[in-house]
Amino acid sequence: MNNKNITVNKIVEICNGKLLAGEKNIEIETYSKDTRTLKKGDMYLGIKGEKINGNNYIEQAFINGAIGCITDENVNEEIINKYKEKVIIKVENTIKAIQELAKYKRSLYDIPVIAVTGSVGKTSTKDIIANVLGQKYKVLKTEGNMNNHIGLPMTLLKLKDHTAVVVEMGMNHFGEISLLTNIAKPTGCVITNIGTSHIGNLGSRENILKAKLEILEGLDKNGFVLINNDNDLLHEWAKKEKRYKIYTYGLENNSTYMAKKITTLENSSEFEINGIKGTVPIGGIHFVYNSVCAFAVGDILNVEKEKIIKGISKFKLTAKRMDIEIIQDNIKIINDSYNASYDSMKAALEVVNNTLAQRKIAILGDMLELGEYAKELHEKVGEEVVKNKIDILITIGENAKNIANKAKELKMENVKSFNNIDEAIKNIKEIIKSGDLILLKASNSMNFSKILNEIKA
């Protein structure tokens, strides 16, 4: 099938919908759920969210050039009569409808689909894999962290003339990755690690492993699994598991793909993977892990080794993930304020430790969704602060006080705690001076970008 666009008639069939207006043989190429970014010819998807009901913006979508809409609410007769040339499809549930549509669209393509999950590093791993595969394939990838029950289907609905797909799969609870993998039907699954993110919802690391392993439910029968062999739970799982074609990557445990002769520099790392030299242009040992992982996927999918190394060397990070910028007075800021877990806090602090600066300041906020483990894991971050020789620790938020308390307990002298960002900002501007290196790290909802803007002002 050369033309993989879906007709209105087919959409109605797949979504078990009802055509209220419009021509049934029109082909739909593109989809949008946001009238602000909608382009002419898009099919508008009316999604009822927690704060905004997209079904209220159908007329605005038509004014902005939408070819039609899919809605799960009754449409005003006036709108149907006024926009007779537009396609209007009524379904029971728009979110379920786009999931079914995405599943169907995916079924039209016989191409590699790589699904990435893990407790930390999913987005950067997905991006570096896409960069490597982009040396041979035309790659569709998850943008940002559109990795949930809406984001993943929206990504797959963008399939056109692509020859490979790399999608990220996130979860907070059991059953969520199961849903995603049965839409994406991956030909390869990557699990980066099993840490402590969302442990408050799932109760234990063993349960987090179980939830992540749901990714295998949708795996193609000839597909492969690639795991981080240095992660204790994944290492044990891979030793016992016999049902899948498993590849491993790591730096310590003997693996299918191994990085050795590693030199970590301030803004890059050099290494050899299975005897082939490479460089990743971002500091931090976790990006060496990402590089070995991407090398493995590229090699499994028959990308030439020189091209794999080129893809790794040209890798760029998604915004707000270990962005390093120098502002006035030679102040260097590492902005890693997109999300936070114990594992990613530890990794970020290690990068700071390996970066040259006159003083090193860590501004750390609350990590969320840790439940009964919140105090313990924030205290463990406090231990990492001291271990990585941070000069000044500033914490913001109730949970983050546990980071400060543990650091003080371990005899760290320069520690300050604040309840909120506004209180902190007044003090931060007085503390920082020329030559400082500042790490900003917290869960996204802490809004640490406000601190960055104030420091830069």
Side-chain angles (χ1 to χ4, degrees):
M1 184 172 179
N2 294 323
N3 181 4
K4 296 186 174 74
N5 297 329
I6 308 173
T7 63
V8 168
N9 214 22
K10 192 71 184 172
I11 292 173
V12 171
E13 181 193 320
I14 292 162
C15 303
N16 197 19
K18 187 179 178 188
L19 185 60
L20 302 182
E23 171 54 52
K24 65 180 183 181
N25 294 318
I26 293 173
E27 289 183 355
I28 305 301
E29 284 188 50
T30 50
Y31 302 80
S32 171
K33 61 181 178 66
D34 190 337
T35 55
R36 295 165 300 182
T37 53
L38 183 142
K39 294 183 176 61
K40 193 173 181 219
D42 284 352
M43 173 66 94
Y44 177 66
L45 305 164
I47 295 173
K48 190 173 185 176
E50 283 176 29
K51 294 176 185 169
I52 294 170
N53 185 352
N55 294 293
N56 296 336
Y57 296 89
I58 288 169
E59 185 163 19
Q60 188 57 54
F62 290 162
I63 291 165
N64 292 3
I67 196 168
C69 75
I70 298 175
T71 177
D72 51 14
E73 291 191 359
N74 291 324
V75 183
N76 191 311
E77 282 295 330
E78 281 179 31
I79 291 179
I80 294 174
N81 293 328
K82 188 175 174 183
Y83 297 97
K84 281 194 173 76
E85 79 288 0
K86 302 289 187 183
V87 172
I88 302 176
I89 301 171
K90 170 88 189 295
V91 295
E92 192 177 323
N93 181 305
T94 308
I95 293 172
K96 285 201 171 76
I98 64 169
Q99 290 168 353
E100 289 302 320
L101 266 180
K103 191 173 183 177
Y104 175 73
K105 183 105 178 179
R106 158 68 183 103
S107 74
L108 303 176
Y109 290 77
D110 183 15
I111 59 176
V113 175
I114 306 302
V116 181
T117 196
S119 292
V120 67
K122 290 185 292 292
T123 300
S124 49
T125 305
K126 171 260 303 178
D127 286 339
I128 199 166
I129 290 170
N131 229 45
V132 163
L133 296 186
Q135 306 301 310
K136 175 178 178 177
Y137 298 91
K138 181 167 184 185
V139 179
L140 172 68
K141 69 168 185 172
T142 302
E143 292 302 330
N145 73 326
M146 293 269 291
N147 62 13
N148 67 3
H149 64 300
I150 297 173
L152 179 130
M154 291 302 295
T155 299
L156 292 173
L157 286 174
K158 290 179 181 169
L159 272 165
K160 286 188 178 174
D161 56 346
H162 302 93
T163 55
V165 179
V166 185
V167 285
E168 181 180 330
M169 293 184 182
M171 65 92 207
N172 300 331
H173 299 91
F174 285 120
E176 292 174 347
I177 287 182
S178 175
L179 172 77
L180 301 180
T181 192
N182 281 299
I183 295 169
K185 296 290 184 190
T187 60
C189 293
V190 175
I191 308 177
T192 61
N193 47 47
I194 304 300
T196 54
S197 300
H198 316 300
I199 198 166
N201 298 335
L202 290 155
S204 67
R205 287 183 67 228
E206 287 70 23
N207 277 348
I208 293 169
L209 172 66
K210 198 173 166 188
K212 297 292 184 190
L213 288 173
E214 289 174 6
I215 200 169
L216 304 176
E217 292 172 20
L219 181 64
D220 183 271
K221 66 179 189 303
N222 298 315
F224 68 89
V225 186
L226 175 66
I227 60 121
N228 176 351
N229 205 27
D230 292 345
N231 182 268
D232 56 344
L233 293 184
L234 288 172
H235 177 77
E236 287 306 314
W237 173 80
K239 277 202 303 193
K240 296 172 195 159
E241 184 55 64
K242 298 285 180 276
R243 288 171 296 169
Y244 303 97
K245 189 191 293 179
I246 297 173
Y247 297 92
T248 57
Y249 69 94
L251 278 53
E252 294 162 17
N253 290 326
N254 192 27
S255 303
T256 326
Y257 295 90
M258 287 197 78
K260 294 183 176 174
K261 299 182 182 173
I262 299 162
T263 310
T264 53
L265 306 167
E266 190 171 318
N267 297 315
S268 64
S269 293
E270 294 166 359
F271 45 75
E272 278 188 17
I273 301 173
N274 292 17
I276 296 162
K277 288 181 181 175
T279 304
V280 62
I282 297 137
I285 201 74
H286 46 304
F287 284 100
V288 178
Y289 275 102
N290 292 352
S291 301
V292 193
C293 178
F295 186 100
V297 175
D299 193 47
I300 294 164
L301 295 184
N302 300 314
V303 181
E304 291 170 24
K305 290 185 174 60
E306 300 75 33
K307 288 184 175 177
I308 295 175
I309 293 300
K310 184 182 171 189
I312 293 169
S313 71
K314 294 190 176 303
F315 171 59
K316 287 187 178 69
L317 268 179
T318 300
K320 282 205 269 187
R321 293 172 188 270
M322 294 302 289
D323 283 351
I324 301 179
E325 57 180 306
I326 297 171
I327 59 170
Q328 78 277 11
D329 297 331
N330 196 30
I331 293 169
K332 193 179 286 184
I333 297 177
I334 299 178
N335 180 20
D336 194 18
S337 59
Y338 193 83
N339 61 19
S341 63
Y342 165 68
D343 307 273
S344 63
M345 285 270 195
K346 181 175 183 284
L349 288 163
E350 286 169 357
V351 170
V352 173
N353 191 12
N354 289 320
T355 305
L356 292 172
Q358 288 174 27
R359 294 192 311 174
K360 295 173 182 182
I361 302 174
I363 304 176
L364 308 178
D366 290 347
M367 302 182 290
L368 305 179
E369 295 184 355
L370 298 177
E372 64 186 276
Y373 296 88
K375 184 172 186 286
E376 177 194 339
L377 289 168
H378 282 86
E379 286 177 347
K380 282 180 77 175
V381 172
E383 291 171 11
E384 291 298 323
V385 168
V386 174
K387 193 192 293 183
N388 286 289
K389 302 179 178 66
I390 303 300
D391 298 299
I392 300 171
L393 169 64
I394 296 168
T395 71
I396 302 169
E398 196 57 40
N399 282 322
K401 284 178 185 169
N402 293 302
I403 302 175
N405 293 340
K406 178 53 78 173
K408 285 179 193 168
E409 195 185 298
L410 295 169
K411 306 288 187 283
M412 184 173 180
E413 290 175 10
N414 215 332
V415 180
K416 296 184 187 302
S417 287
F418 301 100
N419 294 316
N420 58 60
I421 282 191
D422 294 329
E423 194 184 301
I425 284 168
K426 292 176 201 164
N427 290 275
I428 289 166
K429 293 191 87 168
E430 289 173 13
I431 293 167
I432 59 178
K433 62 185 187 185
S434 177
D436 282 347
L437 169 65
I438 302 167
L439 169 67
L440 293 174
K441 182 83 177 144
S443 288
N444 196 29
S445 58
M446 292 289 290
N447 196 21
F448 265 34
S449 52
K450 191 173 179 183
I451 301 174
L452 179 65
N453 294 336
E454 286 290 336
I455 293 172
K456 290 164 76 174

